[in-house]
Amino acid sequence: MFRSLFVTFLFAASVIAEEAPSFRRDVMPILFRSGCNQGTCHGSARGKDGFMLSLFGYDAKGDYYRITQEMVGRRVNLAAPEQSLMLLKATGKVPHTGGELFKPDTKYYKTLLAWIEAGAPDDAGAVPQPVEITLSPDRIAFEGGKGTQKTTVTARYSDGSKRDVTDLALFATNNPATAKIDKNGIVSASGRGDTHVFARFNRFTIGSEVIVLPQDKNYAWTNPSANNYIDEIVHDRLQKLRLLPSDVCDDETFIRRLYIDLTGSLPTTKEYREFMADASKDKRTALIDQLLQSDGFTDLWTDLWAEMLRVKGGGYAPSATDVKAADVYYEWIREQIAKNRPLNEFVADQITGTGSNLTNGPANLYTMLVHDVKVTPKNLAADFSQLFTGVRIQCAECHNHPFDRWTQDDYYGWVSFFTGIQRKLGVEPREFYVFNDLSAAPAKHLVDERPMQPTVLGGESSVPKGKDPRQALAAWLTSPKNELFTRNLANRMWAHLMGRGLVEPLDDMRVSNPPTNGPLLDALAKHLGDSGFNLRGFIRDITTSRTYQLSAKPNKTNADDTRQFSRSQLRRLRADVLLDAIVEATDGQRGFTYFPKGTKAIQHYPRSPGDTTRPMTGDPFFETFGRAGRASVCVCDTKFEPTLSQTLHMVAGDTVQSQIGAGQVIEKHLKAVTPPETIIEDLYLRALSRKPKPDELKSLLELVGSDTKDRKPYQDIFWSLLNSTEFIFNH
Amino acid sequence: MRSLLLFPLLLTSAAAADAVVTYDEHIKPIFREHCLKCHGEDEQKADLNLANFTSVLKGGSGDKAVIAGRASQSLLFQAITAEDDSERMPPKKAPLPAPQIELIRQWIQGGLRESSASKSLVAERDTSFKPAATLNFDGPPPMPESLPTFTPPKLKRPLPIIAMAASPRAPLIAVAGHEHVRLVDANTQKELGVLAFPEGQPNVIRFSLDGRVLMVAGGKPVQSGSVVLFDIKTGKRLTTIGDETDAALAADLSPDQQLVALGGSGKVVKIYNTADGKLRHKLTKHTDWITALTFSPDGKKLASSDRAGGIHLWDATGGGILLSLAEHKAAVRALSWRSDSRMLASGGEDGLLIWWDAKDGWPAITNTNAHPPVRPTGYYGKLPNGVLSAAFGPNGELLTAGRDKQVRLWAANGSVLKSFANETSLPLQTSITFDGKGLFAGDAAGAVRYWTAAN
């Protein structure tokens, strides 16, 4: 039938020497190390200059095809291996946008050449895969602010073998102002502080902590007392970094801080006076316990959860996010917070939520996380992960997560939990039944379109078939053993109370973004899980700690510290809390469209007669002061940055002035002929929860003058207090 | 009940090609379900009304909605199959179910029949082969007679057969080697000689229409590129054309030997005079690397293709564009003219093998999966199914090679005559001898295989 003729160069497989480099084990890491497959080069989705590689090498099979098969004879030249374009390009012998990557006398060149000389073979059968990498040493301390340290990266493979891959890894530092790391893995100190350096190899990222300390012979630990485990761990960290905690704040500062943090309200003058008059030693703890049981606490923490869960009510029925649905959801959340429902059960109920959006509150997780007429499983999966684990798993959609452990397998297995989520029309246009269609096809892997069964993040095997996989999802997610969940919740609550998360941004938990105090986050997460996810208990732990009660005033060691909680951080009030604070301080009144009179800002969630897809804050004041528009799950939607329009609004807008007018605080005082110093003190207590200092009082009395009936100077004083940084900030 | 009827249609689309899909019976119900709210009698967004057959044909403000016989070029079909959510119809909704899309495709391909009594609006195409008038060349068929001796260096591995050609007049095959070209007797398969090509890799080899001149194009990747013309009898270098900064990936010599066209990573097709080596035209319509160039045997047209799937037909002498042939969605790997200059074949990485009617650029025959690879059990994902080579023989037959490692012989009407397996290596190049008797394929391992058309 056919004859094979001419020179059929029959090089049998035996020619491929046993020591021929493996494409996956030896060649791919060189492409990674040399930067060939990074996003700005051939790893870009469309490749670069006509040649594409998978980003950071997630698709070895595809890369082999593109290098050897796509344009046979061009990229590798089996007849004249050293003339292969990939070698000429890498050594800069021909024009190459990426320039010269290595020289011909390097191991990199020799390995690639040997592979091409061996016939550029594909790997036969399975190749041992890296399963873990280590970076040693895992802690580096530079005394005296100087020094260098060599690090070593070791990969462990699926066959149990280990290999030093330092010269195949990529290195990075989180803060070059503290420590740098070069391409050979050598760390050098640059300035005081603590940071992490990282090594990346294959799909793994791993970090080592670096602490750089100046020579400081005068530093002496002052042995502050520790109220609980939080203080012990923080103190340990501060000692290592040669920082001293500030003093504990005074009672005036404490009461204002605690009220704002736990209830979203300012203490009334009565509450202030009672607390200040209380001489008992444990009055702070008593106040904490009292506020944890208050309605204000329930309101504030409902508000925080409703914001995270994107509760918004609209009038466009097909989105399934009608005001009635939002209300049912909101009330359900409030009920859970009120009865201190364990947070894991609270979340689990929502994950398995099924049934009518108008009658079953928790089912609205699948309407409010969506705000669209159709459920897009990938979006839902990404939002779900970001919200409940702090992991941005969507990075692994198109490639393995470059700076974390997540692979495309993780991503598509995760998405498959959500491919069956559906809503079908109920008995009226606003009503939708949420259910999980168990016959829905799972997500397909991007690289090879393999159907991926639902699998939890980092999970080895998929969940059992037949049952609603959301049961398994909820059980896994909300287990006290699931650090993704416990750390995320602990970090978010810590951030609310301390002004900064141990990991920032809160919703970007990854290996390459480690906590500023790892043992503390571990301990908080463990206590949260061990306590049965007791919301109030956990907040009690934090607020009773000495660390929470520190003054914002720096000492000579900690003026620059913003990450280690050696002093209290100034925090601008949330938009809704700020509005309530203005209303409370002035005895004013403020309503909201679509809400009954007397609704507080923290009891408000955005409502509109239309579609709920767009960002909605529900009030112009909220818009100005950065309340989340709830158009995404991103923590960044709640803004704390000062803006010019905020200043203008406070100075000249209709809120402060009109609330002062509405509350008639000054008028009532003048009518009662209250002495000027008492009026001024009352205004101070209302706005700042503290008495005026003698010099403040003195100059203000001068301002008021002798005309005791003139309300104008008092209005100016009140207006100034409400416009002061001290009012707008929690401290 | 309807779905029972639809699924068999989809599953056996080949068999169902004859089953008539009509507007009245199949398509209007689909439009009614998904489209008429915005494109119906009451409202006509974009001036498009799909509620009756006449207005469907009329189209909307954006042009015709459907083109009989060409679903891929019909706006309506493009709209319902768009990958991008924001471009797809119906808006903000899941795509139409696959069986409905397939019905619409079949309806367009089948010629937009209104009812079962209607005729297809696609005109019947005459794809038959009528040999062009025999050209009278002086003298006997040119064969190598006195080639200079050249011994190629001994190499551990041969160059993959990235280029190969058969003489149109003589039993002669030219095959690419590392910096050389081997000339082989097609009857005896004996090597007759070797032509040195120190310029680099021979990426393209072509014989002139009279068989006297051999064109070799190539170079060194990202360093240099040119085209060399050899006298086939003496092996003498006649001229060198082009001084490119990258190897020529595509090239051809015009039938009258007056012009050489070349192209490559520069995305530009350059046409040079062979007489003085001067650049005559630059054709700048392509958006990606030029992958193939070929003059029609009557010398009137030049066909060019690129790595993004574009094919253009040019006026070979004037340099103006005649037609753009849009159908390929991935790199076009091969172009070949039938000897009567009426048909152009194209093959690409998207698996398409198309016989284009050169008169109006219509895809007269389309094979969407000409080289379907066998899917190993448990293997997911797209298997490469590209068509890598296509070469017409003297009788209108076409020899192709594909990533399924098959070499396939096609009749003038697009039906498969024979398939040959080349299991051990990927076949890259195909050629049919001047008499149509010998079928040659060169592969990635550097081997050339030979079959006789008779068996």
Side-chain angles (χ1 to χ4, degrees):
Chain A
M1 179 88 188
F2 86 80
R3 280 182 290 157
S4 181
L5 60 140
F6 316 150
V7 247
T8 46
F9 298 85
L10 283 175
F11 286 94
S14 62
V15 170
I16 299 166
E18 278 183 358
E19 61 271 26
S22 146
F23 180 72
R24 283 162 184 77
R25 190 176 194 272
D26 303 307
V27 174
M28 296 271 299
I30 295 173
L31 304 180
F32 174 79
R33 160 79 180 207
S34 306
C36 309
N37 59 16
Q38 69 190 18
T40 52
C41 297
H42 301 291
S44 145
R46 297 180 151 268
K48 184 86 175 175
D49 296 340
F51 173 46
M52 187 215 147
L53 289 169
S54 62
L55 186 61
F56 304 125
Y58 64 81
D59 178 15
K61 196 169 74 175
D63 289 342
Y64 179 80
Y65 175 84
R66 286 179 283 265
I67 290 171
T68 65
Q69 306 289 302
E70 189 175 43
M71 296 189 76
V72 174
R74 186 169 169 94
R75 290 162 186 157
V76 298
N77 185 338
L78 299 183
E82 64 288 347
Q83 288 179 33
S84 296
L85 192 54
M86 74 181 291
L87 292 178
L88 297 175
K89 286 270 186 183
T91 51
K93 293 223 173 91
V94 298
H96 181 211
T97 307
E100 183 192 62
L101 300 173
F102 46 75
K103 297 196 181 298
D105 62 358
T106 54
K107 196 179 109 179
Y108 308 123
Y109 183 90
K110 287 171 186 163
T111 303
L112 293 186
L113 181 62
W115 174 66
I116 298 170
E117 281 176 339
D122 197 0
D123 295 311
V127 176
Q129 288 290 311
V131 289
E132 179 195 44
I133 65 170
T134 51
L135 178 62
S136 64
D138 62 353
R139 283 216 173 84
I140 300 166
F142 292 116
E143 289 281 341
K146 282 189 290 199
T148 59
Q149 168 73 48
K150 167 109 182 73
T151 59
T152 306
V153 188
T154 309
R156 191 163 63 79
Y157 285 78
S158 52
D159 62 355
S161 63
K162 282 189 176 176
R163 180 185 180 195
D164 182 336
V165 294
T166 309
D167 59 2
L168 293 169
L170 293 175
F171 299 95
T173 175
N174 264 7
N175 186 0
T178 297
K180 297 191 177 81
I181 186 163
D182 72 7
K183 64 182 167 83
N184 299 317
I186 293 168
V187 183
S188 53
S190 24
R192 177 179 186 153
D194 66 295
T195 189
H196 280 75
V197 292
F198 295 93
R200 290 168 58 211
F201 176 74
N202 195 273
R203 60 184 183 84
F204 299 97
T205 298
I206 189 150
S208 286
E209 185 183 79
V210 184
I211 295 178
V212 181
L213 295 172
Q215 219 143 27
D216 183 0
K217 294 199 177 93
N218 297 325
Y219 178 83
W221 181 244
T222 50
N223 253 326
S225 63
N227 291 357
N228 59 19
Y229 68 94
I230 293 170
D231 295 332
E232 284 165 13
I233 298 170
V234 169
H235 291 170
D236 184 52
R237 182 76 183 160
L238 295 180
Q239 246 180 310
K240 272 192 188 132
L241 296 169
R242 298 214 187 121
L243 298 169
L244 293 174
S246 292
D247 295 332
V248 171
C249 68
D250 58 32
D251 281 346
E252 285 180 328
T253 306
F254 174 77
I255 185 177
R256 187 176 196 268
R257 182 187 298 170
L258 191 73
Y259 264 84
I260 291 170
D261 285 342
L262 294 198
T263 69
S265 297
L266 300 176
T268 62
T269 50
K270 181 166 168 280
E271 285 161 342
Y272 167 86
R273 288 183 203 287
E274 280 171 10
F275 179 71
M276 297 305 285
D278 188 344
S280 61
K281 254 181 113 181
D282 61 348
K283 68 174 183 177
R284 289 193 180 190
T285 305
L287 183 64
I288 291 167
D289 287 334
Q290 178 200 325
L291 295 188
L292 284 171
Q293 301 308 321
S294 67
D295 285 348
F297 180 90
T298 301
D299 284 338
L300 178 64
W301 288 83
T302 302
D303 184 38
L304 296 173
W305 271 103
E307 182 174 285
M308 284 195 275
L309 295 166
R310 299 179 59 197
V311 177
K312 285 188 285 189
Y316 178 62
S319 297
T321 52
D322 189 85
V323 170
K324 199 172 171 192
D327 218 41
V328 167
Y329 196 19
Y330 180 89
E331 288 304 331
W332 178 82
I333 295 168
R334 197 175 189 288
E335 195 187 319
Q336 311 312 306
I337 301 292
K339 66 183 181 197
N340 205 32
R341 184 91 192 276
L343 289 172
N344 59 336
E345 294 177 15
F346 168 66
V347 170
D349 271 9
Q350 298 175 63
I351 295 171
T352 55
T354 300
S356 167
N357 62 334
L358 301 188
T359 56
N360 185 24
N364 280 296
L365 181 70
Y366 299 106
T367 65
M368 297 296 164
L369 272 195
V370 177
H371 286 289
D372 200 349
V373 290
K374 65 169 186 192
V375 178
T376 309
K378 284 183 180 177
N379 295 352
L380 183 56
D383 288 353
F384 191 105
S385 166
Q386 190 166 340
L387 180 60
F388 292 125
T389 70
V391 171
R392 298 191 182 176
I393 193 68
Q394 62 267 39
C395 297
E397 177 177 355
C398 308
H399 48 77
N400 294 333
H401 198 304
F403 307 110
D404 206 344
R405 50 193 273 224
W406 311 115
T407 64
Q408 287 179 307
D409 287 7
D410 282 309
Y411 175 79
Y412 288 97
W414 179 250
V415 171
S416 289
F417 278 113
F418 305 95
T419 51
I421 302 291
Q422 291 193 24
R423 291 109 42 125
K424 67 174 180 224
L425 195 58
V427 295
E428 55 147 314
R430 297 178 298 175
E431 183 172 50
F432 287 85
Y433 289 105
V434 173
F435 68 104
N436 194 2
D437 175 4
L438 301 187
S439 68
K444 285 182 178 173
H445 198 291
L446 177 80
V447 173
D448 59 8
E449 293 169 8
R450 185 163 31 112
M452 302 295 289
Q453 295 306 322
T455 309
V456 300
L457 294 179
E460 296 285 308
S461 56
S462 53
V463 304
K465 281 185 187 178
K467 279 201 243 164
D468 186 340
R470 293 183 302 167
Q471 306 277 1
L473 174 61
W476 166 80
L477 182 84
T478 65
S479 158
K481 287 185 202 136
N482 185 354
E483 289 185 357
L484 292 172
F485 183 64
T486 55
R487 284 162 64 99
N488 174 53
L489 286 186
N491 190 48
R492 283 173 186 257
M493 290 191 270
W494 175 268
H496 172 79
L497 296 163
M498 304 300 294
R500 191 195 189 286
L502 287 152
V503 175
E504 284 282 346
L506 304 180
D507 52 3
D508 194 7
M509 297 270 204
R510 60 186 145 80
V511 174
S512 50
N513 184 26
T516 54
N517 186 338
L520 178 57
L521 184 55
D522 290 343
L524 290 168
K526 185 165 186 309
H527 276 84
L528 179 62
D530 289 350
S531 74
F533 291 93
N534 181 345
L535 167 68
R536 284 173 177 77
F538 182 73
I539 289 172
R540 190 180 191 278
D541 283 355
I542 297 176
T543 48
T544 54
S545 73
R546 189 179 189 279
T547 302
Y548 174 78
Q549 298 181 16
L550 291 178
S551 163
K553 206 179 283 172
N555 56 40
K556 63 180 189 297
T557 65
N558 69 358
D560 293 336
D561 174 40
T562 56
R563 308 163 69 229
Q564 300 297 343
F565 309 99
S566 65
R567 61 193 172 88
S568 174
Q569 297 290 321
L570 300 185
R571 300 169 264 154
R572 209 209 72 204
L573 303 186
R574 291 168 51 86
D576 40 21
V577 172
L578 177 61
L579 183 52
D580 279 343
I582 295 169
V583 173
E584 286 156 5
T586 57
D587 285 350
Q589 266 206 359
R590 181 69 156 72
F592 298 96
T593 323
Y594 312 118
F595 278 86
K597 214 173 166 183
T599 302
K600 296 199 323 182
I602 58 167
Q603 293 168 332
H604 168 277
Y605 66 84
R607 288 178 178 171
S608 99
D611 183 24
T612 55
T613 309
R614 70 203 158 81
M616 283 159 54
T617 56
D619 193 276
F621 185 91
F622 295 152
E623 197 80 41
T624 305
F625 287 88
R627 197 189 201 200
R630 308 187 186 188
S632 81
V633 292
C634 187
V635 172
C636 61
D637 278 3
T638 306
K639 294 186 182 67
F640 293 96
E641 294 79 24
T643 64
L644 182 61
S645 64
Q646 289 170 8
T647 311
L648 292 172
H649 186 93
M650 292 297 282
V651 171
D654 59 6
T655 304
V656 175
Q657 206 62 276
S658 70
Q659 292 301 316
I660 291 174
Q664 299 280 306
V665 169
I666 294 158
E667 287 78 355
K668 281 175 194 159
H669 277 306
L670 293 177
K671 212 170 165 189
V673 204
T674 316
E677 50 268 60
T678 312
I679 301 179
I680 292 170
E681 182 182 290
D682 183 52
L683 299 181
Y684 261 77
L685 293 181
R686 285 170 171 275
L688 308 179
S689 313
R690 71 167 171 90
K691 290 184 178 170
K693 290 174 197 144
D695 57 331
E696 288 173 328
L697 187 61
K698 185 164 168 272
S699 52
L700 291 176
L701 283 172
E702 281 165 20
L703 183 75
V704 170
S706 54
D707 184 355
T708 50
K709 294 269 182 232
D710 185 6
R711 62 182 184 176
K712 191 78 186 34
Y714 294 112
Q715 280 181 339
D716 287 348
I717 291 168
F718 207 7
W719 181 90
S720 302
L721 289 173
L722 295 178
N723 264 297
S724 68
T725 313
E726 197 177 345
F727 174 74
I728 296 168
F729 279 75
N730 192 3
H731 31 81
Chain B
M1 268 324 277
R2 185 143 36 98
S3 65
L4 284 178
L5 189 113
L6 297 185
F7 275 103
L9 270 179
L10 176 71
L11 295 174
T12 58
S13 61
D18 297 321
V20 176
V21 181
T22 68
Y23 176 78
D24 287 349
E25 192 185 339
H26 308 103
I27 304 304
K28 194 171 176 190
I30 300 176
F31 289 169
R32 185 190 299 282
E33 186 183 344
H34 300 286
C35 318
L36 295 193
K37 204 175 159 217
C38 303
H39 304 290
E41 300 291 1
D42 301 336
E43 189 181 355
Q44 294 96 40
K45 286 204 170 147
D47 295 333
L48 179 63
N49 181 354
L50 300 176
N52 67 74
F53 183 71
T54 320
S55 59
V56 172
L57 290 196
K58 193 167 130 263
S61 56
D63 206 350
K64 293 246 184 261
V66 283
I67 300 169
R70 295 203 67 185
S72 69
Q73 304 303 307
S74 298
L75 283 178
L76 185 144
F77 192 76
Q78 289 170 351
I80 61 171
T81 54
E83 296 262 325
D84 191 331
D85 280 354
S86 64
E87 289 169 13
R88 192 178 51 240
M89 289 283 149
K92 283 193 169 187
K93 285 199 179 135
L96 299 191
Q100 295 192 347
I101 290 178
E102 176 60 16
L103 267 184
I104 293 172
R105 194 191 69 79
Q106 287 179 15
W107 173 63
I108 299 173
Q109 290 300 110
L112 307 176
R113 284 183 167 92
E114 181 174 11
S115 67
S116 48
S118 315
K119 279 195 174 144
S120 167
L121 298 182
V122 184
E124 282 282 318
R125 291 254 157 193
D126 176 13
T127 60
S128 65
F129 174 73
K130 298 173 195 79
T134 317
L135 297 167
N136 284 317
F137 295 110
D138 300 331
M143 288 291 280
E145 289 167 8
S146 54
L147 300 182
T149 27
F150 173 76
T151 315
K154 282 254 178 284
L155 298 168
K156 194 173 169 191
R157 285 192 173 71
L159 188 73
I161 310 297
I162 52 177
M164 187 170 74
S167 166
R169 288 182 63 208
L172 183 62
I173 303 287
V175 182
H178 177 64
E179 299 188 355
H180 67 271
V181 173
R182 289 180 288 135
L183 297 174
V184 176
D185 187 311
N187 294 329
T188 64
Q189 293 93 49
K190 275 210 180 106
E191 189 170 296
L192 301 173
V194 176
L195 299 174
F197 186 68
E199 281 79 2
Q201 288 189 11
N203 286 326
V204 192
I205 299 176
R206 294 281 165 82
F207 281 91
S208 64
L209 195 62
D210 64 8
R212 288 186 183 123
V213 175
L214 187 73
M215 184 211 78
V216 182
K220 293 184 170 143
V222 202
Q223 293 156 82
S224 58
S226 56
V227 177
V228 179
L229 302 183
F230 294 90
D231 182 295
I232 207 72
K233 279 192 211 167
T234 63
K236 218 181 110 197
R237 292 166 72 101
L238 300 172
T239 184
T240 303
I241 298 194
D243 180 16
E244 313 299 308
T245 55
D246 194 355
L249 301 177
D252 199 16
L253 175 65
S254 67
D256 61 7
Q257 300 175 21
Q258 296 299 305
L259 304 173
V260 158
L262 74 84
S265 61
K267 306 177 187 176
V268 180
V269 178
K270 294 180 181 169
I271 299 178
Y272 290 91
N273 292 323
T274 51
D276 56 9
K278 280 198 177 138
L279 181 65
R280 186 159 161 165
H281 302 296
K282 264 167 108 170
L283 313 180
T284 55
K285 190 132 177 83
H286 286 284
T287 57
D288 208 324
W289 297 12
I290 310 298
T291 54
L293 286 165
T294 175
F295 286 100
S296 62
D298 63 10
K300 289 178 184 160
K301 290 170 183 157
L302 172 68
S304 60
S305 67
D306 66 39
R307 210 170 55 160
I311 303 177
H312 300 299
L313 285 187
W314 309 86
D315 175 349
T317 45
I321 190 156
L322 301 173
L323 289 165
S324 291
L325 314 184
E327 203 69 32
H328 285 282
K329 298 277 180 286
V332 175
R333 289 283 178 226
L335 290 175
S336 180
W337 282 98
R338 209 164 70 175
S339 60
D340 60 3
S341 298
R342 287 177 52 225
M343 284 282 173
L344 174 75
S346 67
E349 295 286 6
D350 51 6
L352 285 179
L353 178 63
I354 300 172
W355 282 256
W356 300 90
D357 190 332
K359 182 175 78 236
D360 56 358
W362 185 267
I365 304 168
T366 301
N367 192 314
T368 54
N369 202 2
H371 282 271
V374 180
R375 180 172 294 277
T377 44
Y379 185 101
Y380 289 100
K382 191 179 168 356
L383 288 164
N385 68 338
V387 179
L388 299 175
S389 175
F392 276 109
N395 304 310
E397 73 278 40
L398 185 70
L399 189 66
T400 61
R403 293 203 183 265
D404 61 348
K405 295 188 176 171
Q406 298 281 320
V407 175
R408 202 154 280 153
L409 186 66
W410 309 77
N413 65 3
S415 61
V416 178
L417 294 172
K418 283 192 176 74
S419 293
F420 310 98
N422 199 73
E423 292 101 345
T424 52
S425 182
L426 187 65
L428 302 172
Q429 290 287 315
T430 51
S431 297
I432 304 179
T433 53
F434 76 107
D435 53 9
K437 288 178 184 161
L439 311 178
F440 287 80
D443 67 24
V448 176
R449 284 161 204 274
Y450 162 74
W451 299 271
T452 54
N455 56 20

